[in-house]
Amino acid sequence: MVSVFEGQLTRTWHYSVESRKHVITLYHDTITGMRSCAVDFEEYPGTLGNSSLMMDSSGHRIFFDVCGHNGFIQILRSGWTGFEYSCVVNDVSLVETTMEI
């Protein structure tokens, strides 16, 4: 869980297609709610938006594509003052890079 008081943050996941590693990045300002997604360090069109604590409990899904593989980043509220993030590509839940072993 990330507190709303964190401010600007990034979350990163890796996804490999044909031996090439792709980088999926979420940029989220927890205070203002502004967010966007980048694939291989380029903003993915249509992902700019707002995900604040005022969103409903189902959260937001930000859709993107990696070499023909459909994916999304899920932003959920967590408790009264927090957020949780996850990333799924081609029906596979990815591990955030800070969590990789």
Side-chain angles (χ1 to χ4, degrees), residues 11-28:
R11 291 292 182 260
T12 304
W13 298 269
H14 292 142
Y15 183 72
S16 294
V17 177
E18 298 175 3
S19 301
R20 180 165 182 245
K21 186 182 282 189
H22 297 274
V23 180
I24 303 157
T25 308
L26 170 70
Y27 301 97
H28 186 213

Side-chain angles (χ1 to χ4, degrees), residues 51-63 72-78 83-84 86:
S51 296
S52 71
L53 289 178
M54 303 309 278
M55 67 183 166
D56 73 28
S57 61
S58 63
H60 289 151
R61 282 190 175 180
I62 305 164
F63 295 95
F72 65 87
I73 294 173
Q74 176 88 35
I75 302 176
L76 295 171
R77 289 188 330 214
S78 180
F83 296 98
E84 290 183 11
S86 60

Side-chain angles (χ1 to χ4, degrees), residues 35-46:
R35 48 94 170 140
S36 67
C37 170
V39 176
D40 293 331
F41 308 104
E42 291 188 27
E43 184 178 342
Y44 196 85

